[in-house]
């Protein structure tokens, strides 16, 4: 029977010695192993885009250790928060980095981005100034400086910053583009149009550029200049829906309803959902038969029947309008007080007074109730003096 009492004494001594040596070797290895460098680990995490993991690694850093590089610690922490769009925390960390001796000029570039995001434009400009020669190496930074001056309503400084950007980065057209919009906002439309055309020509602009420029002019009520720009865009991008819609609405703003309706009608060939809008503009332009023709192709039943009712009333086809009652009821349109009054008016005009009264009973809106009361008065006149309603 094997048991420890039968093991040779020298063997047990050997085992004890071996165990003792193993324990000592492990302890020695632990003493020699360097502590984990969590700052370096965080730097790697940031490089790989893992901002949340970088913050977790930084939580393990011993800030009480005199050997800890606090400038680097707070810089990395600030960048991690910046990557997570926590601008308040990023600002605090980056400011701490500067206080703890961070001298790399890029720290002020990061601070400028944070301040701009926080809409602190004065500090944005100050931070860019502290970045030194780095400013002339980064077009985005000059653009940020110009926008900060613009938000501070220092328009002259903003334009000067854009001019500096154009001088340092002549091939970068962002400065010319921004200047165009600044001139539009300043009301310098002739200069804006001149620069805008230059930008659109030099930049090989896409539809979105034309839309942005045209819309800026439209919002500034420079309708004809906006139309000129957008008509060029329509020739270059005939299938772009946004160009067509903006051009149509610019014509509308300019009071040219037929032009607007025609453009929407053409655009509806590519997007049938624009059919209703085209028909509505034709209705507003007084081209009711054209509007009624387009109305036939509208897919949305509610939109279709509500619009058709208004067109038939405009055409004084009251009997046809009154006969739409079942369609309006089926689509739930009679819940709309305006539609119900319009139907009541069509029934009144068709001399179907009892049916008209039934719908007038449902009116709750104060203005429509007043109109309904007037309609009832007219119906009484028609009953007692029918010759007045012929």
């Amino acid at each position: 029977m094997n048991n420890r009492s039968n093991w040779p004494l020298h063997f047990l001594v050997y085992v004890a010695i071996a165990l003792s040596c193993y324990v000592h070797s492990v302890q020695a290895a632990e003493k020699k192993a360097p502590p984990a460098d969590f700052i370096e680990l965080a730097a790697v995490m940031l490089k790989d885009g893992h901002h949340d993991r970088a913050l977790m690694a930084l939580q393990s850093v011993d800030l009480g250790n005199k050997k800890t590089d606090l400038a680097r610690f707070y810089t990395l922490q600030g960048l991690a928060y910046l990557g997570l769009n926590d601008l308040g925390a990023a600002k605090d960390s980056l400011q701490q980095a500067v206080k703890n001796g961070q001298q790399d000029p890029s720290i002020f570039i990061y601070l400028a981005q944070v301040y701009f995001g926080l809409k602190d434009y004065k500090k944005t400009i100050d931070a860019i100034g502290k970045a030194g020669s780095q400013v002339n190496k980064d077009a985005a930074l000059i653009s940020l400086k110009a926008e900060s001056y613009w938000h501070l309503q220092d328009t002259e400084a903003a334009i000067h910053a854009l001019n500096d950007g154009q001088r340092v980065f002549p091939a970068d057209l962002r400065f010319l583009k921004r200047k165009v919009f600044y001139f539009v906002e300043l009301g310098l439309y002739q200069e804006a149009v001149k620069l805008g055309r230059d930008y659109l020509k030099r930049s090989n602009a896409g539809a979105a550029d034309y839309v942005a420029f045209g819309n800026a002019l439209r919002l500034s009520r420079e309708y004809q200049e906006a139309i000129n720009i957008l008509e060029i865009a329509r020739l270059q991008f005939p299938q772009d829906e946004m160009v067509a819609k903006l051009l149509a609405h610019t014509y509308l703003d300019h009071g040219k309803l037929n032009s607007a309706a025609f453009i929407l009608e053409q655009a509806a060939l590519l997007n049938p959902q624009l059919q209703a809008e085209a028909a509505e503009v034709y209705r507003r332009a007084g081209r009711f038969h054209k509007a009624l023709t387009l109305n036939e192709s509208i897919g949305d039943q509610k939109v279709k029947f509500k619009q058709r009712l208004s067109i038939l009333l405009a055409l004084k086809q009251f009997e046809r309008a009154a006969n739409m009652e079942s369609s309006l009821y089926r689509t739930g349109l009679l819940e709309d007080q305006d539609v119900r009054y319009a139907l009541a008016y069509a029934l009144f005009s068709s001399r179907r007074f009892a049916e008209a009264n039934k719908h007038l009973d449902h009116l709750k809106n104060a203005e429509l109730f007043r109109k309904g009361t007037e309609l009832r008065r007219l119906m009484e006149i028609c009953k007692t003096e029918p010759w007045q309603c012929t």
Side-chain angles (χ1 to χ4, degrees), residues 13 23 39 50 77 94 100 102 113 131 134 138 159 189 226 306 323 340 371 378:
V13 172
V23 170
I39 290 182
H50 301 302
Q77 183 172 261
L94 294 173
N100 282 277
Q102 180 60 270
Q113 294 171 354
Q134 292 279 32
D138 190 340
I159 298 297
Y189 301 118
K306 185 174 182 178
N323 289 337
R340 192 177 283 275
K371 289 183 177 181
L378 292 174

Side-chain angles (χ1 to χ4, degrees), residues 59-79:
Q59 288 175 3
S60 300
V61 174
D62 181 7
L63 297 181
N65 189 334
K66 294 182 179 180
K67 294 183 179 180
T68 299
D69 186 344
L70 293 178
R72 190 150 189 256
F73 168 84
Y74 284 115
T75 299
L76 294 175
Q77 183 172 261
L79 293 179

Side-chain angles (χ1 to χ4, degrees), residues 74-75 77-83 85-96 110-111 114 118:
Y74 284 115
T75 299
Q77 183 172 261
L79 293 179
Y81 280 127
L82 182 59
N85 205 34
D86 188 342
L87 300 181
K91 180 191 71 172
D92 293 340
S93 295
L94 294 173
Q95 287 176 338
Q96 282 294 326
Y110 299 132
L111 272 170
V114 170
L118 292 170

Side-chain angles (χ1 to χ4, degrees), residues 200-273:
L200 293 173
K201 181 180 179 180
R202 291 174 57 193
S203 66
N204 192 23
D209 293 308
Y210 281 92
V211 165
F213 184 31
N215 195 46
L217 290 169
R218 171 181 170 248
L219 293 175
S220 300
R221 299 180 181 275
E222 290 297 309
Y223 300 126
Q224 192 55 57
E225 290 294 353
I227 287 169
N228 294 341
I229 293 294
L230 292 169
E231 283 288 9
I232 295 173
R234 184 164 169 251
L235 289 173
Q236 293 190 25
F237 310 100
Q239 295 187 323
D240 192 283
E241 183 178 319
M242 187 55 68
V243 169
K245 289 175 69 175
L246 182 60
L247 178 57
H249 284 284
T250 305
Y251 272 122
L252 273 176
D253 293 338
H254 202 29
K256 298 183 177 181
L257 276 67
N258 280 302
S259 297
F262 176 75
I263 291 168
L264 287 171
E265 182 184 3
Q266 295 298 305
L269 298 175
L270 297 174
N271 181 4
Q273 292 185 354

